[in-house]
Amino acid sequence: MTPMSEELKTQERMTAVGALQVLDAAAGASLDRITQLAAFAFNAPVAFVSIVGTDSQRFISKVGLDIPGTDIRSSVCSYTITAADVMVVPDLRADPRFAGNGLVCGPPHLRFYAGAPLVAKNGVPIGAICVMAREPRELSEDDRQHLKTLAAMAMSQLELRRLSGRQDPVSGLPNRHQFHIDYDGLVSRARGPVHAVLLDVLDVPRLEEAGQALGMPPLEAMIHRSGVRLRVALEDIADIYHVGTSRFVFLVDQPLAEDVETLLLELKQRITRPVMAAAVPMSPQFHAGICTFDPAKDSSNDVLRKLLVSLQAAITGRLDFCWYSERRDELLRRGYRLAADAERGLRREEFYLLFQPRVEAITQKIVSAEALIRWNHPRLGPVGPAEFIPVFERTALMPAVSGWVVDAALDQLAAWQLAGLSLSVNLAASDLSTEGMAERLLQKLAARDLAPSLLEIEITEGEWLRANTVAGEQLARLAGVGVRIAIDDFGSGYSNFGYLSRLPISTIKMDKSLVDHLADDPGARLKAKAIIELAKGLGYTTVAEGVETAAQRDVLTDLHCDQLQGFLFAAPLSADELATMVGIGG
């Protein structure tokens, strides 16, 4: 078997050490009893359990010592962890390795040392249980076995966290549950302003893609290595916790925000070094959310929530790090307040429809109208669809809201059908991707004795829209019986005539951004001209949205755009107002 490299030994040991950095009260009390037993059994004035790191050792339980740990150069235990058995130094003063040790040549003037390594279940030594005395000694074979037994007992206590679900199985670091337990103790040690940092070393899309290609073991190896690098980099600075698949949190009490940012940039240099995963070099990502918090007011849950807000801002903005923004947080919470209130709003008729007419470009006769949902929230007042629709689309609310819109719009269309006025209704991607949607919609039309040709479905373009998908099949079913299909906001982003030509599209609605500068920007006019000519060549009806000036109307008419919609002709109107405008009964 090939020997483990020194770097890998260090990484494995630091993983185990990181997992045991903060003991819970029960495990700590048990360790103290074991340490006291060692001192009594060996008649030793000094006994301790030491966790050995890269640069230092920490005494997690001790008798007869008033220091929390020592530099690694002063650690006798650093030799013990490399030994296969109990290490005994009969006289420290006579051993050139330890004669200059501060505990030997200075108070408490220790002479004798015996230590048994603490070996984790993966075979990696992480520290030692030790006894020391002020006079030289020898250790019998029975005493050696006794010390080894105490070491096994101590290691069992150290394993309690993992066994109780407080250690992440991939990184070996304390997990989110342990963070909540340790939070009060962590903030009590702070000497100044407390900053929390949440790091993500692999964003979710890349995690899913790499997982499909490589399987989980290589990814777990990369996440494990990232945890080791963080633990080594933050030793003596902060305790680190593995709180998500690829996310790590720690608290620092750096006095200035600039100091935190400097620390993060240093961490980025360490974390993003390539890692071999299944013979493929992979570079961990680095995004961080930061928040400054008040330990007297913010719980551990509050801190993690704020960190998620700032981390998501960093990921969305493709930034190395982003500070918590209260304004961003307020908008997010407002959005989910709207989501929580939506079903109640539907029951209490807080939602309503307005209708914006569409006119023929040449005659300016009203030929159609678009149904637009609005919400009069009882506490927040009028809320526009640009705010609440994106929130609904991220939840399970869209089917209920879309169902209400369709029913209300078709009821109104039934009242207008003698005038021959058609109506457009917006549907979301999730609506169209639901099996049976087309049949249910056709049943609703039939129940109201409405011709399918009176209804137009508006959808936004995007990668989700393909002929060989559920959505494509639903559209084909609707178009096959006469329902018209319109692509809304065309030209605002993902615009592709290639795939549209394979779908049963009848109408292209140009986005307002293409209309805004038609009167004064030759480039905008060329773009609109190209879209209109290509759309008409493919047999589509062209509609321009957001027409607000006579100059825009004139340019669009000259370009042979078929229909126009915008505030130049009418703002969104109530059903009665539109009926009056068209000259039909409400």
Side-chain angles (χ1 to χ4, degrees):
M1 182 179 292
T2 303
M4 186 183 293
S5 71
E6 286 304 315
E7 179 187 7
L8 189 54
K9 282 182 180 179
T10 300
Q11 290 172 347
E12 293 290 341
R13 183 158 54 83
M14 289 309 300
T15 297
V17 169
L20 303 169
Q21 280 293 320
V22 184
L23 290 174
D24 57 69
S30 296
L31 273 179
D32 287 343
R33 287 194 293 271
I34 294 171
T35 307
Q36 292 162 7
L37 177 60
F40 177 79
F42 290 91
N43 192 25
V46 173
F48 55 87
V49 175
S50 170
I51 298 297
V52 180
T54 303
D55 302 314
S56 65
Q57 69 171 344
R58 189 165 67 91
F59 303 144
I60 59 175
S61 178
K62 59 186 185 292
V63 171
L65 287 177
D66 58 1
I67 57 176
T70 71
D71 185 273
I72 197 67
R73 291 170 297 181
S74 302
S75 171
V76 184
C77 297
S78 65
Y79 291 87
T80 303
I81 66 172
T82 65
D85 203 345
V86 174
M87 176 177 168
V88 178
V89 184
D91 189 350
L92 292 163
R93 191 182 297 172
D95 191 317
R97 294 174 298 175
F98 311 119
N101 190 296
L103 297 177
V104 175
C105 59
H109 299 288
L110 299 171
R111 298 285 296 276
F112 168 76
Y113 171 92
L118 303 175
V119 182
K121 288 188 176 181
N122 61 0
V124 176
I126 64 169
I129 182 169
C130 314
V131 292
M132 301 183 76
R134 295 187 179 90
E135 67 284 339
R137 293 186 189 179
E138 293 292 341
L139 203 65
S140 69
E141 184 59 32
D142 285 346
D143 285 340
R144 289 172 184 261
Q145 291 301 321
H146 191 179
L147 191 57
K148 288 170 67 174
T149 300
L150 291 173
M153 292 170 60
M155 194 65 228
S156 295
Q157 292 302 317
L158 292 174
E159 292 282 0
L160 277 179
R161 174 174 298 163
R162 180 183 63 80
L163 296 174
S164 60
R166 297 177 186 174
Q167 175 186 343
D168 185 87
V170 174
S171 68
L173 292 171
N175 63 12
R176 178 166 50 89
H177 180 54
Q178 191 64 46
F179 173 73
H180 290 306
I181 292 173
D182 296 341
Y183 176 77
D184 289 340
L186 293 172
V187 298
S188 68
R189 300 202 303 260
R191 298 180 298 275
V194 187
H195 307 287
V197 178
L198 179 63
L199 295 178
D200 197 341
V201 299
L202 190 65
D203 59 84
V204 172
R206 288 187 74 242
L207 177 64
E208 293 177 347
E209 178 183 292
Q212 294 172 48
L214 303 175
M216 289 310 295
L219 289 181
E220 290 178 345
M222 188 181 79
I223 293 169
H224 169 89
R225 185 69 60 83
S226 298
V228 170
R229 289 175 175 177
L230 285 170
R231 180 66 217 128
V232 172
L234 293 171
E235 189 176 16
D236 299 326
I237 297 175
D239 296 315
I240 187 158
Y241 297 80
H242 192 166
V243 296
T245 302
S246 57
R247 293 179 175 181
F248 303 85
V249 71
F250 61 91
L251 309 183
V252 289
D253 57 354
Q254 302 279 8
L256 300 174
E258 291 82 357
D259 296 333
V260 180
E261 294 180 2
T262 299
L263 173 63
L264 289 179
L265 292 176
E266 292 173 356
L267 286 177
K268 180 186 177 183
Q269 295 300 316
R270 291 181 181 237
I271 294 300
T272 56
R273 296 198 312 269
V275 173
M276 294 301 293
V280 177
M282 297 183 66
S283 295
Q285 299 295 292
F286 186 93
H287 298 293
I290 322 168
C291 75
T292 303
F293 65 94
D294 183 351
K297 296 180 180 178
D298 294 313
S299 68
S300 57
N301 280 315
D302 293 331
V303 171
L304 286 180
R305 190 189 63 76
K306 290 180 178 181
L307 287 173
L308 286 172
V309 172
S310 53
L311 175 62
Q312 188 57 50
I315 293 172
T316 303
R318 299 180 180 273
L319 303 171
D320 289 340
F321 56 81
C322 187
W323 285 87
Y324 169 77
S325 163
E326 190 170 345
R327 173 60 178 163
R328 187 184 299 116
D329 194 356
E330 288 175 354
L331 290 175
L332 184 64
R333 284 184 289 176
R334 174 183 166 97
Y336 279 85
R337 177 73 266 166
L338 293 175
D341 292 345
E343 289 186 301
R344 182 217 61 207
L346 289 173
R347 291 195 306 269
R348 298 184 180 180
E349 299 184 347
E350 295 168 9
F351 291 92
Y352 60 97
L353 293 182
L354 295 179
F355 304 88
Q356 188 170 39
R358 236 159 67 183
V359 304
E360 287 186 347
I362 296 176
T363 66
Q364 295 189 27
K365 176 186 176 182
I366 295 176
V367 292
S368 178
E370 179 181 358
L372 302 168
I373 187 172
R374 296 291 187 266
W375 189 1
N376 188 21
H377 195 280
R379 290 187 300 277
L380 302 177
V383 182
E387 181 178 2
F388 64 76
I389 290 297
V391 173
F392 292 175
E393 288 180 332
R394 295 194 295 268
T395 67
L397 290 166
M398 277 313 298
V401 174
S402 295
W404 178 88
V405 169
V406 168
D407 285 337
L410 294 184
D411 286 344
Q412 191 57 61
L413 184 59
W416 289 339
Q417 66 174 320
L418 293 179
L421 191 68
S422 62
L423 193 61
S424 295
V425 175
N426 292 273
L427 291 182
S430 59
D431 300 321
L432 291 163
S433 300
T434 303
E435 294 278 3
M437 181 279 298
E439 292 304 324
R440 289 190 292 274
L441 182 56
L442 294 177
Q443 289 171 7
K444 291 181 178 185
L445 285 167
R448 295 167 174 83
D449 198 25
L450 289 169
S453 60
L454 292 176
L455 178 65
E456 181 178 74
I457 298 299
E458 293 192 17
I459 55 177
T460 54
E461 53 184 334
E463 286 280 6
W464 63 274
L465 192 57
R466 289 289 184 272
N468 59 348
T469 63
V470 172
E473 293 169 359
Q474 302 291 312
L475 293 176
R477 174 73 178 101
L478 293 172
V481 296
V483 175
R484 289 173 294 115
I485 310 299
I487 295 294
D488 197 14
D489 301 329
F490 191 84
S492 61
Y494 186 91
S495 301
N496 187 333
F497 274 108
Y499 81 85
L500 292 183
S501 64
R502 295 188 289 274
L503 290 167
I505 305 300
S506 57
T507 304
I508 293 292
K509 295 189 73 176
M510 291 190 298
D511 187 66
K512 183 179 184 298
S513 62
L514 292 171
V515 174
D516 285 340
H517 302 290
L518 281 177
D520 52 25
D521 183 352
R525 180 168 180 156
L526 285 174
K527 291 177 185 176
K529 183 174 185 291
I531 290 173
I532 291 170
E533 290 181 351
L534 185 54
K536 292 178 79 68
L538 293 171
Y540 301 146
T541 297
T542 55
V543 179
E545 295 184 289
V547 181
E548 298 178 352
T549 68
Q552 293 169 345
R553 176 199 62 198
D554 294 343
V555 171
L556 289 163
T557 301
D558 290 343
L559 294 177
H560 305 292
C561 184
D562 297 309
Q563 297 176 10
L564 310 176
Q565 179 179 340
F567 278 77
L568 178 65
F569 310 103
L573 306 168
S574 69
D576 290 342
E577 289 171 330
L578 181 58
T580 300
M581 188 175 184
V582 178
I584 58 177

